[in-house]
């Protein structure tokens, strides 16, 4: 709602018109939708923890036999985690991507950060 | 598994013969979201839009802006309609898309056309790599209750679709714990790299950090995400295990996420000697593919993935929720640091619904491990500012972009309320628009 001041006139009319549509139909969509979202996320999360404790018979990564095989003495990653081959295949580096947003800000575009 | 090759070569699923492939450049609605059929290859992903607003559907309500962590989506047109201003500012999280009440936001990259082509091709073995969270959302597209676990049915569906190797990204979630846990222990013991260590599994977060906090790059774990690990392992180790040449493999990352499409295209993701990840789709697109193939999802049996790169643990599956990577890592760190076995693997204090959660974990023979779990980048920014100021007390910080974690990712099935409201809202909006037009006219 705090954004209304920034809206163009037609944008405002649209929203006002929609609000009017709601009141005609008589239900508070926003509040119901918000409560539903919280419940919705929680339901999926709950299912994850349920599977962790009830469906998966092994619960720690280090106990997975296929992980043990990967890192075994004669295994593909026999140097162990963070070894030379791991570094080549499984690790990475990061870039500085700030130039793009600096350029945008210089053009006058406002961002959240 | 050595038989997989011949099986693939002789028997292609029957549905492929009659399938009408979506044309490149066309738009297809999948599970209530519009997708552009486009399979970029060898393109710098930082120049691409992964989501964009359909100006004609946008009602200028501003809901997307309130969910966007960066401000990338904002008024772009004289009448207040929104748009994504520039790929440089967008971290591709899709939270705008998931929260638009008018269904006005579309995805600009979809590999489904190319994947069907590869499934048809007798010389290609298509490799499946589904993320943990996909199996907690996919069932919803087939009328099952929210959050239903469909891991076994998902594997069965992937085989019926014609994937020649059903590998699973949960296996590399376990690998990630080994690598990232070891990295953390090294940082704590040797002090060669700075603390806190941030997780690096979430591609929206990683792009956000690179863009807005590049000075903290050394704090990010150097570990690739689980999918960043499964791509190269499939084409090296997996090739060894299955006897299938990596050149014949076409790896498909299946994610609850939009930003994973960006990650798959990162130029540095080529450690296997070719592209580690050939295509990326999300849960909604997989559901659509299953429907296109005419597979009756609900009646499928439960099947296991191919074990060598597919077997996984509870620690891997909880990667799908906020706090899960942390809990999985602690299940390792506790045992390594203390030398004791962790009798009860539940570490409930790090389970997070939304916002910031912090905890002190006492570890015998070591001391206290201080951790923080955060979902939502607006919240992550607060912790980044603390680290920047040198005031962060933590060893390890888990960050996920989407509130609640990947199960609520931008590529997951939209919640029914949102779908309904998008229909309801656009109907009301249409009526209002006509009404207003008549009054004006
Ligand atoms: S209609 Fe959708 S795209 Fe337009 S302002 Fe509202 S949330 Fe954003
Ligand atoms: S995808 Fe995420 S970062 Fe990009 S505009 Fe939408 S909410 Fe903002």
């Amino acid at each position: 709602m705090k954004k209304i001041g920034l809206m163009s006139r037609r944008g405002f009319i649209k929203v006002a018109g929609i609000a009017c549509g709601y009141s005609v139909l008589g239900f508070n969509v926003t509040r119901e939708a918000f409560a539903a979202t919280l419940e919705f996320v929680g339901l999926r999360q709950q299912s994850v923890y349920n599977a962790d404790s009830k469906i998966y018979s092994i619960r720690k990564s280090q106990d997975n036999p296929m992980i043990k095989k990967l890192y075994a003495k004669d295994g593909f990653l026999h140097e162990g985690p963070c070894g030379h081959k791991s570094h080549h295949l499984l690790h990475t580096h990061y870039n500085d991507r700030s130039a793009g947003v600096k350029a945008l800000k210089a053009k006058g575009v406002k961002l959240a950060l | 598994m050595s038989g997989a090759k011949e099986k693939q070569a002789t028997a292609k699923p029957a549905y492929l013969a009659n399938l009408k492939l979506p044309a490149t450049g066309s738009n297809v609605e999948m599970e209530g979201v519009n997708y552009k059929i486009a399979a970029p290859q060898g393109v710098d992903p930082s120049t691409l839009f992964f989501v964009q607003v359909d100006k004609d559907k946008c009602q200028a309500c501003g809901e997307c802006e309130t969910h966007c962590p960066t401000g990338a989506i904002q008024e772009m047109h004289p009448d207040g309609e929104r748009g994504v201003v520039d790929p440089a500012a967008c971290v591709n999280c899709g939270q705008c898309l998931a929260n638009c009440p008018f269904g006005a936001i579309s995805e600009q990259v979809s590999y489904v056309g190319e994947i069907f082509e590869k499934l048809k091709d007798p010389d290609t073995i298509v490799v499946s790599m589904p993320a943990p969270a996909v199996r907690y959302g996919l069932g919803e597209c087939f009328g099952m209750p929210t959050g239903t676990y469909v891991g076994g049915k998902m594997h069965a569906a992937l085989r019926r679709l014609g994937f020649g190797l059903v590998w699973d990204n949960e296996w590399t979630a376990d690998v990630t714990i080994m690598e990232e846990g070891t990295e953390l222990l090294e940082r704590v013991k040797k002090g060669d790299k700075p603390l806190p260590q941030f997780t690096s599994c979430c591609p929206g977060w990683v792009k956000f950090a690179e863009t807005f906090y590049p000075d903290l790059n050394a704090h990010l774990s150097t570990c690739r995400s689980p999918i960043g690990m499964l791509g190269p392992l499939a084409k090296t180790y997996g090739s060894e295990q299955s006897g299938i040449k990596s050149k014949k493999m076409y790896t498909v990352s299946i994610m609850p996420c939009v930003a994973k499409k960006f990650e798959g295209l990162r130029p540095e993701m080529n450690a296997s000697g070719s592209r580690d990840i050939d295509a990326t789709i999300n849960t909604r697109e997989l559901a659509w593919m299953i429907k296109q193939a005419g597979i009756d999802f609900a009646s499928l049996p439960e099947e296991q993935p191919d074990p060598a790169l597919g077997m996984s643990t509870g620690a891997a599956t909880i990667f799908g929720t906020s706090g899960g990577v942390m809990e999985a890592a602690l299940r390792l760190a506790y045992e390594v640091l203390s030398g004791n076995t962790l009798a009860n693997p539940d570490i409930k204090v790090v389970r997070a619904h939304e916002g910031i959660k912090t905890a002190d974990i006492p570890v015998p023979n070591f001391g206290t491990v201080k951790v923080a779990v955060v979902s939502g980048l607006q919240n992550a920014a607060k912790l980044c500012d603390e680290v920047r100021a040198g005031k962060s007390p933590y060893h390890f910080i888990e960050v996920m972009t989407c509130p609640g974690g990947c199960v609520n990712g931008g590529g997951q099935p939209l919640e029914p309320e949102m779908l309904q409201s998008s229909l309801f809202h656009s109907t009301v909006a249409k009526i209002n628009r006509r009404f207003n037009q008549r009054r004006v006219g």
Side-chain angles (χ1 to χ4, degrees):
Chain A
M1 276 303 147
K2 66 179 177 4
K3 294 283 179 205
I4 278 182
L6 296 173
M7 265 192 209
S8 69
R9 225 168 64 85
R10 208 184 109 195
F12 182 76
I13 289 169
K14 279 184 196 167
V15 173
I18 291 158
C20 166
Y22 292 157
S23 59
V24 169
L25 289 158
F27 73 92
N28 187 339
V29 177
T30 321
R31 195 191 291 157
E32 277 181 20
F34 185 67
T37 301
L38 285 178
E39 195 185 310
F40 180 77
V41 176
L43 282 171
R44 284 185 184 158
Q45 286 187 305
Q46 214 175 10
S47 174
V48 173
Y49 288 118
N50 190 50
D52 168 33
S53 63
K54 305 219 169 71
I55 296 176
Y56 290 76
S57 52
I58 305 169
R59 300 193 53 200
K60 298 170 196 161
S61 303
Q62 63 271 31
D63 295 345
N64 180 339
M66 290 298 156
I67 295 296
K68 289 183 180 167
K69 187 178 168 200
L70 181 73
Y71 290 109
K73 275 207 183 67
D74 55 350
F76 185 74
L77 297 178
H78 54 84
E79 300 155 298
C82 295
H84 186 73
K85 203 163 184 177
S86 284
H87 268 288
H88 172 61
L89 288 176
L90 309 180
H91 291 247
T92 188
H93 59 270
Y94 301 102
N95 306 312
D96 180 339
R97 295 187 190 273
S98 58
V101 290
K102 278 192 196 119
L104 278 178
K105 284 181 192 160
K107 274 199 282 177
V109 177
K110 285 210 173 59
L111 297 173
L113 282 161
Chain B
M1 235 194 309
S2 55
K5 195 175 178 180
E6 297 94 72
K7 193 179 72 194
Q8 179 76 5
T10 50
K12 285 280 173 191
Y15 81 88
L16 284 168
N18 310 315
L19 192 75
K20 204 172 152 278
L21 294 183
T24 304
S26 63
N27 287 299
V28 177
E29 194 189 303
M30 307 187 213
E31 300 302 316
V33 174
N34 236 330
Y35 286 79
K36 184 168 200 174
I37 303 299
Q41 298 293 349
V43 181
D44 178 359
S46 58
T47 62
L48 297 176
F49 287 96
F50 289 84
V51 297
Q52 193 47 285
V53 179
D54 179 343
K55 184 172 170 290
D56 297 328
K57 284 192 190 162
C58 174
Q59 301 300 320
C61 69
E63 187 65 20
C64 51
E65 259 184 76
T66 66
H67 293 272
C68 177
T70 67
I73 196 163
Q74 48 180 270
E75 274 197 63
M76 287 261 286
H77 305 282
D79 285 330
E81 292 94 343
R82 268 42 175 192
V84 176
V85 282
D86 193 292
C90 173
V91 300
N92 316 310
C93 63
Q95 283 301 309
C96 52
L97 181 158
N99 288 290
C100 171
F102 298 96
I105 304 180
S106 62
E107 284 202 41
Q108 297 297 298
V109 170
S110 174
Y111 286 87
V112 294
E114 185 177 286
I115 295 171
F116 274 130
E117 271 170 37
K118 297 290 177 183
L119 286 166
K120 277 186 163 183
D121 177 9
D123 292 326
T124 304
I125 306 289
V126 186
V127 180
S128 84
M129 311 193 293
V134 174
R135 67 208 73 201
Y136 299 94
L138 185 61
E140 292 163 25
C141 300
F142 300 92
M144 297 177 190
T146 305
T148 307
Y149 173 84
V150 293
K153 288 187 191 297
M154 173 188 75
H155 294 132
L158 289 165
R159 284 212 177 87
R160 309 257 177 319
L161 279 170
F163 283 81
L165 289 165
V166 177
W167 283 335
D168 196 309
N169 199 43
E170 282 195 351
W171 178 70
T172 30
D174 280 332
V175 178
T176 301
I177 287 306
M178 302 306 292
E179 297 288 334
E180 190 159 349
T182 304
E183 181 189 356
L184 176 64
L185 296 172
E186 280 178 7
R187 283 191 198 226
V188 170
K189 283 189 197 146
K190 290 192 202 153
D192 52 346
K193 285 193 219 142
L195 288 169
Q197 173 176 311
F198 282 108
T199 56
S200 53
C201 303
C202 169
W205 150 243
V206 170
K207 190 181 182 214
F208 179 86
E210 289 179 317
T211 305
F212 297 99
Y213 293 91
D215 48 315
L216 303 186
N217 277 356
H219 286 268
L220 284 178
S221 162
T222 62
C223 288
R224 293 174 171 215
S225 71
I227 197 67
M229 294 191 181
L230 186 51
L233 281 176
K235 291 191 175 181
T236 55
Y237 178 62
S239 172
E240 256 177 51
Q241 293 288 307
S242 63
I244 292 166
K245 288 204 175 63
S246 67
K247 264 190 263 152
K248 290 190 127 199
M249 289 183 181
Y250 177 83
T251 49
V252 182
S253 156
I254 307 167
M255 294 286 141
C257 179
V258 179
K260 286 280 174 190
K261 294 181 180 180
F262 176 96
E263 184 186 357
L265 279 162
R266 279 175 177 262
E268 64 271 26
M269 295 286 179
N270 62 354
S272 62
S274 62
R275 294 302 304 158
D276 295 335
I277 297 163
D278 291 305
T280 307
I281 55 170
N282 49 44
T283 310
R284 294 186 294 259
E285 291 167 285
L286 177 60
W288 182 80
M289 288 180 72
I290 294 169
K291 288 176 182 176
Q292 288 303 104
I295 295 167
D296 178 10
F297 188 78
S299 69
L300 288 173
E302 313 265 323
E303 289 182 9
Q304 296 295 321
D306 296 324
L309 288 76
M311 181 186 271
S312 64
T313 68
T317 211
I318 58 175
F319 266 60
T321 162
S322 187
V325 181
M326 177 63 68
E327 183 169 341
L330 289 171
R331 289 179 190 177
L332 173 72
Y334 182 94
E335 296 199 343
V336 175
L337 289 172
S338 71
N340 304 340
T341 305
L342 183 63
N344 177 5
D346 290 332
I347 307 174
K348 292 196 174 142
V349 301
V350 297
R351 296 185 181 178
H353 195 80
E354 276 185 78
I356 302 177
K357 192 157 187 182
T358 62
D360 288 349
I361 314 285
V363 179
N365 308 324
F366 175 76
T368 303
V369 179
K370 293 177 94 64
V371 302
V373 169
V374 48
S375 66
L377 295 177
Q378 292 95 334
N379 296 319
K382 292 179 199 152
L383 294 181
C384 288
D385 290 335
E386 246 180 55
V387 177
R388 200 175 245 175
K391 287 191 189 136
S392 180
Y394 308 109
H395 295 104
F396 195 28
I397 301 177
E398 179 202 292
V399 186
M400 287 197 186
T401 299
C402 297
C406 311
V407 284
N408 192 34
Q412 288 284 64
L414 298 183
E415 49 175 304
E417 279 77 8
M418 196 47 88
L419 268 179
Q420 272 161 21
S421 97
S422 133
L423 267 177
F424 165 72
H425 283 201
S426 36
T427 313
V428 172
K430 241 180 244 154
I431 295 168
N432 280 323
R433 182 143 42 180
R434 229 177 280 146
F435 182 67
N436 287 339
Q437 273 168 358
R438 234 182 295 138
R439 294 256 298 243
V440 176

